[in-house]
Every structure is written in C-alpha cells, then in structure tokens.
C-alpha cells in the first residue's frame, strides 16, 4: 500500500479531476484496509508487523483525510503505542497535526503545509507558533527553517 501511495501521490493535487478521484479512491481503499488491520491488531507497531509495515500504516493513516473516523482511531491507537514505548513520538506528532488540521483546529508541530508563499512552504496555523521549533525538536523533527530550506525552489526549477 505504501508503494502505491508514493507512486500515485502526485494525483492528489493534479489539475485533472480524474486523477484526483483516483487518488481519493485509493486512499479510501487503503483507509478501509488500515481499519481492518486496527481491528485485528490495534496499532500495527514495528514489534508486531516490522518497521516497514509500521511506517506504511502511519502513511496510510496520514492520507486517510476523507475518513476522519479512521484517522482519529489511528491517532488514539498510536498515542497508546507511543505511551507504551512501542512507537515513536515523531510519527505521532505528524498524525496529531494532521487530525487537528482536518478537524479545523490549529496544529502543534507545524508539520502540515497550507500552501506556498514566495516559493516557501507555509504551515497551517499553529497553537504556539513561537514554540514550534522547540516542540518539533522534542519529538525528533527538524526545525521548520531547515524543512523550508530543503523544500525551497532551486534557481533551476521547482521545489526539491
């Protein structure tokens, strides 16, 4: 599922409505499968399914934007896994921000991008924008300025 997600992710923002619809159908199918996996295992931690599959589950949860019930459940189960030491806080931070933004609330870690302004990514509004880098560091996420520098357009072309 993760490989298919990566391969087809550009369709999410395509100008072609057929591409967008294909992306939505794919993420819904993957979200449904993740829900089945969570029914069977709870959160699929690396200890249960291996590191690659655990990372794939997180990615599928991140992209389940049109299945907020699945996304909220994944967040709750991932919180429990992190509290038990079976998963990492970095992925939890990204998923928490994603759910907050999808719920129309301010994010915490500045991981979700609202758009691009003057060639640089701009995050959705944050609860404590003055503390974003401190909060990011606490969960192992690079400072926002470093993220922007990596994703800024180069003189020869679009963002890297």
């Amino acid at each position: 599922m993760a490989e298919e997600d990566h391969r087809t992710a550009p369709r999410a923002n395509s100008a072609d409505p057929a591409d967008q619809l294909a992306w939505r159908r794919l993420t819904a199918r993957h979200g449904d499968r993740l829900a089945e996996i969570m029914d069977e295992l709870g959160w699929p931690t690396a200890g249960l399914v291996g590191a690659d599959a655990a990372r794939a589950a997180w990615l599928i949860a991140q992209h389940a934007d049109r299945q907020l019930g699945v996304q909220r459940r994944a967040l709750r189960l991932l919180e429990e896994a992190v509290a038990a030491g079976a998963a990492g806080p970095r992925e939890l931070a990204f998923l928490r921000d994603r759910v907050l933004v999808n719920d129309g609330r301010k994010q915490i870690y500045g991981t979700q991008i609202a758009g691009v302004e003057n060639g640089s990514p701009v995050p959705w509004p944050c609860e404590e924008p003055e503390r974003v880098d401190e909060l990011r560091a606490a969960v192992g996420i690079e400072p926002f300025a470093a993220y922007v520098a990596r994703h800024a357009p180069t003189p020869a072309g679009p963002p890297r």
Side-chain angles (χ1 to χ4, degrees):
M1 287 190 296
E3 289 174 14
E4 189 176 23
D5 184 284
H6 282 301
R7 188 175 61 254
T8 59
R11 292 177 148 188
N13 298 316
S14 171
D16 183 348
D19 280 347
Q20 291 179 26
L21 181 58
W23 172 253
R24 288 178 184 169
R25 287 180 175 154
L26 174 81
T27 57
R29 189 173 73 248
H30 288 172
D32 290 345
R33 180 63 185 125
L34 178 60
E36 292 170 356
I37 291 167
M38 291 187 299
D39 286 344
E40 295 171 29
L41 302 174
W43 184 253
T45 63
L48 290 173
V49 299
D52 289 343
R55 177 103 173 127
W58 168 80
L59 178 68
I60 299 309
Q62 280 286 110
H63 290 166
D65 295 320
R66 288 166 194 84
Q67 294 170 291
L68 292 179
V70 170
Q71 210 170 49
R72 288 183 191 115
R73 183 171 170 219
L75 176 63
R76 191 172 56 254
L77 292 172
L78 184 54
E79 287 170 340
E80 292 171 7
V82 170
R90 182 181 189 280
E91 287 75 19
L92 177 59
F94 275 87
L95 187 55
R96 180 172 285 135
D97 273 0
R98 189 78 167 227
V99 170
L100 286 168
V101 167
N102 285 335
D103 281 339
R105 298 167 51 201
K106 292 181 178 179
Q107 63 179 324
I108 298 168
Y109 303 95
T111 63
Q112 303 304 300
I113 303 302
V116 176
E117 188 174 294
N118 298 322
S120 293
V122 177
W124 284 96
C126 297
E127 281 289 331
E128 299 179 87
E130 70 284 354
R131 291 190 61 219
V132 163
D133 283 340
E134 170 191 342
L135 296 167
R136 289 169 73 99
V139 295
I141 302 173
E142 68 186 332
F144 192 76
Y147 169 82
V148 168
R150 280 192 312 107
H151 292 84
T154 61
R160 300 185 289 257

